[in-house]
Every structure is written in structure tokens, then in C-alpha cells.
């Protein structure tokens, strides 16, 4: 009997091993098939379909394998430089008969990123290649892109309304008081408003002044771009008196859009498909309304970044700046520093470009990254800063390491200020009958005491530390920008600036995008811009992340759409407010105590919540539903 049991165990072990080997082979083959890079010959004539069902970002988050397993719906993210490269390649590619913009589920992006993509679309249109856009209802960002198309289509049951920047910001002072939480806030900067939601029930006059100033500039730039792209479109009434415009046509928003010249054609997706088929061709074996398509992901893969010439390192700092490793779209100091130092050691770089797209975050992490960048300077490499959509607060702290700074006119920057928030719960515990006591040998024993309250000495020391951090921030900027500390303090104090104004006050040197910064870095290294290539110093996703990215990535070949009308879209966007609230609670409880972060930057990137905030909301709602 023992022999039989032993033989059975051996057989079961062999069976399990064979199953494991088979699974590994299956996933290995699947990964290999999905990772196969299509060559130029795999791209057939047709329309390049950009189904932008998500956000345009500087650096997409690594795909979460558990999101699909748990039934979550990840927000797709499109890398800005990939979208622009695909459009610029399509402009001169005879296989691309047209470019199709599917904007039904577009979640936007920051103004500078949207402008860059819009300009790339315009270059395709100016090359006389048809660009056709479709949506049931366009967002402000979506219309900024569609305005550059040759033909703008919309569902006759849809309708476009323009929101403009602005809206409600959540304030938690009343809730904090009811819960008995004591939010210990330490800050420097009259206009550093990030802490106000925890200390006030409304925005301070200084905060509103800054927000109004920034939003007016950004909104004016948006309007100028629309007028330039579609000079005959009458958008003024839609912005100033939309209620009168819509009631004049008895609530038919699509009709009002057509009358104002905002839309070229009203039609269903079937009608739109037939129109594209006239240009790009169609397969007679497929249903009417379909057309020959070129998959966006395949097209990007078939047109990789150049690798010839000397290497210019490009270090990307995108998302919230945090201590430790990068996670959920954040820029972790350890991860970024490791990528840079490894690049300096292995890549034979001739210069360094630091691409910043961040609202800031941990002051400690910002300083760690700045010091790492200084190592490139120690190796006699030119360092050029390229600001993306935003490089504010901690993002600007990092930028002080550069020799010169590039930005776009609608880049959001500045916010030179610093703050700290540490909650304590002595009053909360007292409400439920819990108290604390103990002995102390010094004024700092047990401090910060989150259950018994902070001592006067602790409060004084923390505030002094914040003030010292602000002086360091001022000193970094003053030295880098050749300004006096007094002048930096005047334009600091937490003030937020658009790129155009930032250039006027010398926080920025020149206008230009990432490629302009790479070209400048080449020149400073004594090289011709055409003789270099960008070497991106980024953490590469693991094979599981790459596999999941391909499995759950955007289905850009599907043109069936999932459109919603204007009202449904607006309601869905407002859902992000609740996600932001959960994210704010998480940040105050687990984030770095000392931060350099921009409040005014929130909500300008297409949603008021980060993707990690939305994941948190989905998790909470799922638990509630159970």
C-alpha cells in the first residue's frame, strides 16, 4: 500500500509539473506573439484610427494585472510622445489614407499636452491628408483636438456643451471639526493654498485670486486655438449664454452646434464609417459601414524611436513626487534616481534632458532627485529642463538643477512654497471615551503625539522646519535663475504661473517642447541636433506588466464606440469629485509630512482625480455593494 501511495504521489507531482510547464509555455508563447514587433510590411492601406478612450499623459502607468482579474475597468492612458510621433509619421505615409479621431470616451489631458497633439493633427490636415473626428458629445479637450480635423462629425442625438476651467473644490474643515480631528498645518507662502481644504470651509481671497488669474489665461489660450483652427465657428454665445442658445432651438443641442459651425456633419457611426470607407477603402466581405483600419498600437510599434547618433539622456519625472519607489503613476525618488544613475554609468550620454510633468509632492523626494541630476553636471554634461504640462512646486524644485528651462505658453509652473500637514486624533478619541496619559522626559517625548496632542515645542519646531525648507527652496531658485532671494520671494509665496508669464518673470528661459530641449542639449554638447537620438531613462515594465498592457490595452481597432450624450458625460466627469475626496483623505493620512505641491493644478488634466484615486473609489464602491 505504501508503494501504491508513493507511486500515486509521484504521478500527481509529474502531473502538476506538466501543467505548470504547459502554462508557462502558453503564457510565454502568448507574450511572444503579443510582443512581436510589426514591421513596415505589416501595415496595410487604410485609416489610422486613434481611439482615444482615456487620457493623454506624459508617462502611462504600468498596467495593473489585478484590475482585469477583479473586474475593474482601468483608465487607458496614451503616451504623449507616441501620439505625436504616430501623427507626424502618418502625415507622410502613403499607406495612411486618412486619420480617424474617435473621441467618444476621451478623458482629456492638461492644456499643454492637448495643444501639442492638436498641433500634430493640424500638421496632418495641412499636408492635405483627410482627418475625420467623431463623437457623440465633445468635451472641451476633445473639441480642442477635433477642431483641427478636416471634418467634425457628431451623433444627431448628441450635443456639445463647453464647460471651461473651474468648478467646485472640496473643503473638509467642517468634517474635520465634527470628527474632532486636529489638522496641524505648517506652511510658508501667502498663496500656498493646498492646505486650505483642511483649514477652511471655503477658498481664501488669495487662493481665488490665483485660480482666476491662471484659469483666465488658460481659457483664453483655448479660445484662441479654436478660433485659429475653425475661424468660422461661432463659439462666443456657447460660452457666454449657452442656455439661450439651446432654448432657441427647443433643446436640440446638435442642431445648435451645426448652426454655429462647430460641427460639419451629423450622422450615426454607420454614416461616419461609410464616409471614411470612401477615402480609406473597405473590405467587401465585411458589413457596410466598416472601413480599412490601421491599428494605432501596431503603427506606433512599426515606427519606433530612432537610435542612430549620439545619445541624449531623457529623464522623465511624471506624476506626484513621492518618497521611495514609483507607484501608480507617481515619480518615486528611488526609482527616478536609480534610472538616472544607471543611465549615466552605462549609456555614454552626451547631455541630459529632464522632462518634468508633475504638480509636486514630497519636498525630500524633490531634493533627492535634484541632487541626482547634479551628478550629471558633475560629469560635465549639459542639463536642459523640459517642462511638460505642469512643473509646479516640487516639480519646479527639481527644475532648478538645469542649465536652461523650456516650457510651453500654457505650461503650469511656479507654486514656490512649502507646507506640512500632520493630523492628530486626541479630540476624536475623547468623543468615544478614549483618553491618553503618560510621562515625558523632554518637551519632545512622544512627539508628534497623534493620540494625545502636539506640544507647543513640537508645533514651533515643525513650523521652523517648514520655514527653513522654504528658505532652501528660495535659495535654489535664486541661484539657478540668477535672481535675488527677495525677488524670488515676491514671485514665490505659492503663486502659480502660466508658462508665458513665467518666462516674463524669468522662471522659464524659452518656449518649446521636448524635441526643442533635446536639440538644445545637443548643441550645448557640441553636436548637431540631427546627429543625436533620445535615450529614455525610464523603468521598463516587467513581462507581466507588458503582457497585461497588451491584453487590456486600448482596443483602438474597434470603431463601434461607446458614446454618451452631453448630460451623461458631464455626470460621469463629476463622479471624479468623490474619487478626489477619497484621495485627499488618503494623502493627508499617508503622504509625506513636508510637501511642495500645487492645488491649482488639480482638475486641469481632464479629471479632478488621479487614476489611483479612481481605483480607490472603485474599491470602496465594490465593498459597499457587497
Amino acid at each position: 500500500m505504501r508503494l501504491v501511495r508513493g507511486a500515486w504521489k509521484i504521478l500527481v507531482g509529474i502531473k502538476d509539473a506538466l501543467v505548470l510547464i504547459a502554462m508557462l509555455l502558453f503564457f510565454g508563447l502568448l507574450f511572444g506573439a503579443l510582443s512581436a514587433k510589426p514591421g513596415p510590411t505589416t501595415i496595410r492601406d487604410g485609416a489610422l484610427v486613434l481611439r482615444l478612450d482615456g487620457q493623454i499623459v506624459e508617462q502611462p502607468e504600468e498596467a495593473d494585472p489585478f484590475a482585469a482579474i477583479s473586474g475593474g475597468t482601468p483608465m487607458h492612458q496614451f503616451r504623449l510622445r507616441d501620439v505625436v510621433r504616430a501623427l507626424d509619421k502618418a502625415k507622410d505615409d502613403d499607406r495612411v489614407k486618412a486619420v480617424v479621431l474617435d473621441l467618444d470616451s476621451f478623458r482629456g489631458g492638461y492644456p499643454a499636452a492637448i495643444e501639442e497633439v492638436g498641433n500634430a493633427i493640424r500638421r496632418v490636415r495641412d499636408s492635405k491628408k483627410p482627418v475625420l473626428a467623431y463623437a457623440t458629445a465633445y468635451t472641451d479637450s476633445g473639441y480642442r483636438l477635433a477642431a483641427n480635423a478636416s471634418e467634425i462629425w457628431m451623433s444627431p442625438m448628441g450635443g456639445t456643451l463647453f464647460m471651461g476651467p473651474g468648478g467646485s473644490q472640496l473643503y473638509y474643515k467642517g468634517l474635520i471639526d465634527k470628527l474632532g480631528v486636529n489638522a496641524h498645518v505648517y506652511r510658508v507662502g501667502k498663496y500656498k493654498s493646498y492646505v486650505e481644504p483642511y483649514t477652511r470651509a471655503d477658498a481664501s481671497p488669495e487662493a481665488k485670486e490665483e485660480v482666476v488669474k491662471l484659469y483666465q489665461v488658460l481659457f483664453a489660450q483655448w479660445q484662441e486655438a479654436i478660433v485659429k483652427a475653425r475661424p468660422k465657428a461661432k463659439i462666443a454665445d456657447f460660452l457666454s449664454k449657452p442656455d439661450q442658445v439651446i432654448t432657441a432651438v427647443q433643446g436640440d443641442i446638435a442642431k445648435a452646434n451645426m448652426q454655429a459651425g462647430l460641427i460639419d456633419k451629423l450622422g450615426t457611426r454607420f454614416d461616419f464609417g461609410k464616409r471614411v470607407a470612401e477615402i480609406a477603402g473597405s473590405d467587401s466581405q465585411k458589413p457596410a459601414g466598416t472601413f480599412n483600419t490601421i491599428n494605432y498600437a501596431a503603427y506606433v510599434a512599426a515606427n519606433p524611436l530612432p537610435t542612430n547618433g549620439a545619445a541624449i539622456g531623457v529623464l522623465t519625472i511624471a506624476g506626484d513626487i513621492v518618497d521611495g519607489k514609483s507607484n501608480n503613476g507617481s515619480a518615486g525618488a528611488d526609482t527616478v534616481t536609480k534610472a538616472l544613475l544607471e543611465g549615466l554609468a552605462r549609456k555614454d550620454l552626451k547631455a541630459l534632458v529632464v522632462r518634468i510633468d508633475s504638480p509636486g509632492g514630497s519636498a525630500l523626494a524633490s531634493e533627492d532627485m535634484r541632487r541626482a541630476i547634479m551628478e550629471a553636471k558633475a560629469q560635465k554634461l549639459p542639463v536642459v529642463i523640459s517642462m511638460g504640462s505642469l512643473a509646479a512646486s516640487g516639480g519646479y524644485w527639481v527644475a532648478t538643477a538645469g542649465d536652461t528651462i523650456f516650457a510651453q505658453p500654457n505650461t503650469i509652473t511656479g507654486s514656490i512654497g512649502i507646507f506640512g500637514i500632520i493630523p492628530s486624533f486626541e479630540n476624536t478619541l475623547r468623543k468615544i471615551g478614549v483618553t491618553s496619559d503618560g510621562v515625558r522626559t523632554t518637551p519632545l517625548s512622544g512627539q508628534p503625539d497623534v493620540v494625545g496632542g502636539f506640544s507647543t515645542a513640537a508645533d514651533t519646531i515643525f513650523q521652523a522646519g517648514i520655514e527653513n525648507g522654504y528658505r532652501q527652496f528660495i535659495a535654489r531658485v535664486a541661484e539657478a535663475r540668477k535672481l535675488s532671494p527677495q525677488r524670488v520671494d515676491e514671485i514665490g509665496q505659492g503663486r502659480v504661473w502660466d508658462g508665458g508669464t513665467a518666462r516674463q518673470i524669468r522662471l522659464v528661459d524659452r518656449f518649446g517642447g521636448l524635441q526643442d530641449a533635446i536639440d538644445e542639449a545637443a548643441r550645448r554638447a557640441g553636436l548637431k541636433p540631427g546627429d543625436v537620438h533620445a535615450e529614455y531613462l525610464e523603468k521598463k515594465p516587467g513581462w507581466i506588466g507588458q503582457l497585461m498592457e497588451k491584453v487590456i490595452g486600448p482596443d483602438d481597432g474597434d470603431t463601434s464606440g461607446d458614446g454618451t450624450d452631453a448630460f451623461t458625460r458631464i455626470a460621469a466627469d463629476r463622479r471624479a469629485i468623490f474619487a478626489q475626496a477619497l484621495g485627499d483623505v488618503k494623502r493627508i493620512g499617508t503622504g509625506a509630512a513636508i510637501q511642495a505641491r500645487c492645488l491649482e493644478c488639480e482638475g486641469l488634466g481632464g479629471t479632478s482625480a488621479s487614476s489611483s484615486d479612481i481605483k480607490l473609489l472603485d474599491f470602496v464602491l465594490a465593498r459597499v455593494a457587497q
Side-chain angles (χ1 to χ4, degrees), residues 1-17:
M1 185 61 69
R2 286 183 179 180
L3 180 63
V4 173
R5 283 199 297 267
W8 177 253
K9 289 180 179 179
I10 293 174
L11 290 174
V12 171
I14 294 174
K15 183 263 296 182
D16 291 343

Side-chain angles (χ1 to χ4, degrees), residues 195-472:
V195 299
E196 289 190 355
Y198 308 103
T199 61
R200 297 176 57 96
D202 57 2
S204 67
E206 293 83 2
K208 285 188 175 180
E209 174 188 336
E210 287 301 290
V211 171
V212 168
K213 178 187 66 178
L214 178 65
Y215 284 5
Q216 284 179 339
V217 172
L218 296 179
F219 196 35
Q221 291 172 343
W222 180 88
Q223 294 177 68
E224 290 169 6
I226 300 300
V227 171
K228 180 180 178 181
R230 294 186 71 84
K232 295 183 179 179
K234 302 173 183 177
I235 64 170
D237 288 346
F238 273 87
L239 300 177
S240 61
K241 48 182 181 181
D243 52 338
Q244 297 179 31
V245 173
I246 302 307
T247 55
V249 291
Q250 298 181 328
D252 191 338
I253 304 175
K255 180 179 179 180
N257 294 156
M258 280 290 293
Q259 289 180 350
L262 301 177
I263 306 298
D264 296 311
K265 299 286 181 64
L266 294 177
T268 64
R269 280 192 170 271
F270 174 76
D271 300 322
F272 180 72
K274 289 176 63 178
R275 170 59 181 146
V276 178
E278 294 174 0
I279 303 170
S282 61
D283 188 338
S284 59
Q285 302 300 315
K286 293 185 177 180
T290 60
F291 53 88
N292 296 333
T293 64
I294 298 174
N295 180 280
Y296 165 75
Y299 194 73
V300 170
N303 292 278
L305 292 164
T307 57
N308 57 301
I312 303 294
V314 179
L315 179 71
T316 303
I317 300 174
D320 292 348
I321 295 175
V322 299
D323 301 319
K325 296 182 179 180
S326 300
N327 191 5
N328 290 333
S330 64
D334 291 351
T335 302
V336 172
T337 298
K338 181 181 178 182
L340 172 58
L341 296 180
E342 287 183 350
L344 292 174
R346 303 177 184 176
K347 302 293 186 180
D348 189 25
L349 306 178
K350 304 304 180 185
L352 177 67
V353 172
V354 182
R355 177 70 167 181
I356 303 174
D357 193 77
S358 171
S362 166
L364 174 62
S366 300
E367 175 63 8
D368 286 347
M369 288 190 280
R370 189 196 71 85
R371 287 183 178 273
I373 294 167
M374 296 303 292
E375 178 61 24
K377 281 191 169 183
Q379 297 183 20
K380 307 302 182 183
L381 296 184
V383 177
V384 177
I385 303 297
S386 172
M387 292 182 172
S389 294
L390 66 164
S393 210
Y396 196 86
W397 187 306
V398 177
T400 60
D403 300 318
T404 189
I405 298 177
F406 282 77
Q408 302 284 15
N410 47 10
T411 293
I412 303 167
T413 188
S415 194
I416 299 169
I418 189 170
F419 67 90
I421 304 177
I422 307 176
S424 66
F425 306 94
E426 64 274 17
N427 296 328
T428 306
L429 295 173
R430 193 174 296 117
K431 286 186 176 184
I432 59 174
V434 179
T435 57
S436 64
D437 195 6
V439 296
R440 297 168 178 80
T441 56
T442 75
L444 296 181
S445 294
Q447 297 295 322
D449 189 346
V450 298
V451 296
F454 291 13
S455 68
T456 302
D459 278 331
T460 301
I461 291 172
F462 292 151
Q463 180 61 36
I466 293 296
E467 292 173 0
N468 179 58
Y470 181 65
R471 284 192 294 271
Q472 292 185 50

Side-chain angles (χ1 to χ4, degrees), residues 184-196:
H184 299 265
V185 174
Y186 315 95
R187 72 168 182 172
V188 180
K190 180 180 179 182
Y191 298 90
K192 196 65 181 175
S193 58
Y194 194 86
V195 299
E196 289 190 355

Side-chain angles (χ1 to χ4, degrees), residues 29 40 68 88 142 159 174-175 195 370 374 421 445 473 503 510 535 601:
L29 291 172
D88 283 335
L175 176 62
V195 299
R370 189 196 71 85
M374 296 303 292
I421 304 177
S445 294
F473 202 163
R503 186 181 180 189
R510 297 168 62 181
E535 187 74 36
C601 304

